[in-house]
Amino acid sequence: MANKADTIISTLITRSRKPLLDEWLARQATMAGSGAIAADGDVKEYCTRFLAELDTGLAAGEVGDIRGAGWSGMRELLEEVSRSRAGKGFTPSETASFVFSLKAPLFALVQREAGDNAARLADELQSATTLLDTLGLYTVEVFQKAREEVIARQQEEMLELSTPVVRLWEGIVAVPLIGTLDSNRTQVVMENLLQEIVSAGAQIAIIDITGVPTVDTLVAQHLLKTVSAARLMGADCIISGIRPQIAQTIVHLGVDLSVTSKASMSGALELALKRIGKAVVERKARPAAEVS
Amino acid sequence: MDQIPILMVGDCLLVSIQVDMHDQLALALQDSLMTKIVETGARGVMLDISSLQFVDSFIGRLLNNIASMARVLDAATVVVGMQPAVAITLVELGLTLSGIRTALNVDKGLALIRRIIDGEEQAFDRREG
């Protein structure tokens, strides 16, 4: 039964590919959000290839299961369309409508072919709908995956960007933390900091949390881990940049930071210099007699 | 069996661990170190673990024990040269070794021991982790 129906769709596509293509393109141009789709210059090429691949796939005789070898070309095409549209910022429905918009022109053709034979028409439409739905869903799936890849890549980039370790003075390093601290970031911060402590031979590490929006028990625990690790290496830690609200939150949560902390980075630097036996002093003005 | 040499430098004992620490070796070290402290009346013990690449919870605990035992014998313990990976492992194991003083290298470690013996520094951190 299914095979009989397929033969007819595939003959249709082989025979009237040109009118079908024109109808389909016209249809996509008039659809909602057509501005964006019209801007997609490759639409005509994609449609032509889609019909060709549809032909190939149907000829291979596998309907309903697009994972077969006969559909490999089609899958590649849909992946290409999805990725290019995901990259251009299309919505998922705009992307899926690429496939779904073929339904109307195809069904019209099928109807004309089937004539008065209602049972046959129903069969035809049934199998055509199933096939196009599967292809459409596959497109959305790939689209989603492409978007997820973009998000994952951005997260990785953020991780690398946001953890610089700076040398403030001989023997003093500082990490300005920006953004929320989760386990992954703590790991990266800790590794970078410890590495820098070794290479700089630093005795003091200042962790500045001015850029950390909130400190809850988990963040505090991560901070303490970093401090402990630095201490094991032989470097003392000072936490700086604690904003008034954060100080209140820390006490309300009952977190015991038990680490030297300073309100500002300058205070921390002053303390650090003192600990390594250095001081910043004002230069003495020379007496007037000496100047002349 | 391997043995880890214990060197006398001034009134400090210097132990440089350069082989993988298996449990038996670690216990032997603890034993001979205590004997040596009593024999020599050393005031400080420096453990150089810069060549140590791996630690487990046993070794971590043992370091803590050595520090506590040495304190009973009135000797300050300083661990120097811990590798970043080792520090991270110990923290992840929940061993912050809060009873031990640490230093970045042997040079700074000797200076720290000197200060502790002179009473300028605490022999252990007041912080409890």
Side-chain angles (χ1 to χ4, degrees):
Chain A
M1 175 78 92
N3 269 341
K4 192 177 131 212
D6 303 333
T7 348
I8 287 151
I9 300 180
S10 79
T11 23
L12 266 179
I13 287 169
T14 320
R15 191 153 39 94
S16 5
R17 196 185 295 180
K18 185 77 181 83
L20 187 58
L21 177 63
D22 292 341
E23 186 75 14
W24 187 17
L25 285 173
R27 177 109 201 140
Q28 289 193 55
T30 55
M31 264 174 24
S34 57
I37 293 171
D40 190 354
D42 305 326
V43 134
K44 186 161 182 205
E45 190 213 323
Y46 283 147
C47 290
T48 318
R49 279 172 59 196
F50 183 89
L51 290 181
E53 293 295 350
L54 193 58
D55 203 10
T56 320
L58 286 170
E62 300 168 77
V63 184
D65 183 17
I66 60 156
R67 277 167 297 177
W71 293 101
S72 67
M74 177 63 97
R75 287 199 306 271
E76 272 169 34
L77 171 66
L78 289 181
E79 277 164 27
E80 194 184 322
V81 173
S82 291
R83 273 174 212 287
S84 108
R85 292 200 169 181
K88 286 175 186 162
F90 281 60
T91 66
S93 44
E94 276 169 346
T95 308
S97 68
F98 169 72
V99 175
F100 291 137
S101 57
L102 177 62
K103 275 189 181 178
L106 182 64
F107 289 178
L109 269 180
V110 170
Q111 201 169 13
R112 214 173 306 148
E113 191 75 10
D116 294 334
N117 192 339
R120 197 172 150 205
L121 179 65
D123 269 351
E124 287 279 349
L125 291 185
Q126 171 69 30
S127 65
T129 308
T130 313
L131 176 61
L132 286 181
D133 283 353
T134 322
L135 291 175
L137 286 176
Y138 184 72
T139 315
V140 175
E141 219 169 89
V142 178
F143 179 87
Q144 190 99 15
K145 243 182 242 163
R147 293 295 286 267
E148 274 164 19
E149 277 166 23
V150 171
I151 293 172
R153 206 185 55 234
Q154 284 172 343
Q155 263 176 346
E156 254 171 52
E157 280 169 5
M158 260 169 59
L159 212 60
E160 285 166 13
L161 280 177
S162 55
T163 51
V165 182
V166 279
R167 293 189 197 187
L168 284 186
W169 207 273
E170 208 189 308
I172 304 175
V173 293
V175 228
L177 289 179
I178 315 275
T180 315
L181 271 185
D182 55 19
S183 316
N184 282 343
R185 282 202 56 202
T186 315
Q187 193 74 18
V188 175
V189 169
M190 209 192 272
E191 275 166 25
N192 286 353
L193 176 64
L194 298 192
Q195 210 54 59
E196 191 63 24
I197 287 176
V198 173
S199 57
Q203 283 168 268
I204 312 252
I206 300 173
I207 301 177
D208 185 79
I209 58 167
T210 314
V212 179
T214 49
V215 174
D216 54 17
T217 45
L218 201 65
V219 173
Q221 197 199 336
H222 286 145
L223 275 176
L224 285 179
K225 261 190 190 174
T226 314
V227 171
S228 302
R231 201 189 67 80
L232 282 176
M233 305 264 313
D236 270 333
C237 271
I238 302 171
I239 293 184
S240 76
I242 299 172
R243 281 175 284 123
Q245 301 95 314
I246 288 192
Q248 292 176 39
T249 326
I250 288 176
V251 172
H252 280 309
L253 285 174
V255 175
D256 181 19
L257 268 185
S258 66
V259 181
T260 321
S261 55
K262 287 274 170 187
S264 67
M265 177 71 125
S266 64
L269 180 60
E270 200 183 331
L271 176 65
L273 285 171
K274 197 170 147 196
R275 283 207 188 152
I276 60 170
K278 301 225 162 75
V280 179
V281 291
E282 227 164 282
R283 200 170 359 163
K284 273 187 205 143
R286 280 191 283 175
E290 212 173 292
V291 175
S292 54
Chain B
M1 199 179 87
D2 295 335
Q3 227 190 347
I4 296 174
I6 302 173
L7 311 172
M8 187 85 193
V9 181
D11 53 1
C12 291
L13 293 175
L14 175 58
V15 183
S16 184
I17 297 166
Q18 311 214 335
V19 290
D20 286 336
M21 285 281 268
H22 51 83
D23 296 1
Q24 205 60 45
L25 184 62
L27 285 172
L29 171 69
Q30 174 188 310
D31 203 34
S32 53
L33 191 56
M34 293 313 134
T35 318
K36 203 89 172 187
I37 293 177
V38 173
E39 273 175 15
T40 61
R43 299 292 315 279
V45 175
M46 182 152 57
L47 293 168
D48 172 25
I49 57 168
S50 53
S51 319
L52 198 63
Q53 300 292 342
F54 311 99
V55 282
D56 54 18
S57 54
F58 182 81
I59 302 295
R61 205 159 53 83
L62 193 110
L63 288 176
N64 234 347
N65 286 352
I66 288 182
S68 310
M69 293 169 185
R71 198 179 307 139
V72 175
L73 299 172
D74 191 28
T77 308
V78 174
V79 170
V80 302
M82 190 181 289
Q83 296 289 325
V86 171
I88 292 174
T89 312
L90 284 179
V91 171
E92 294 297 336
L93 287 173
L95 292 165
T96 52
L97 305 189
S98 49
I100 305 182
R101 294 303 305 255
T102 51
L104 212 54
N105 50 39
V106 175
D107 206 24
K108 286 178 179 152
L110 276 177
L112 179 60
I113 287 191
R114 185 56 45 212
R115 288 203 302 277
I116 294 172
I117 293 174
D118 293 346
E120 292 169 20
E121 292 253 5
Q122 293 277 342
F124 53 93
D125 273 3
R126 280 145 292 157
R127 296 194 289 266
E128 292 299 322

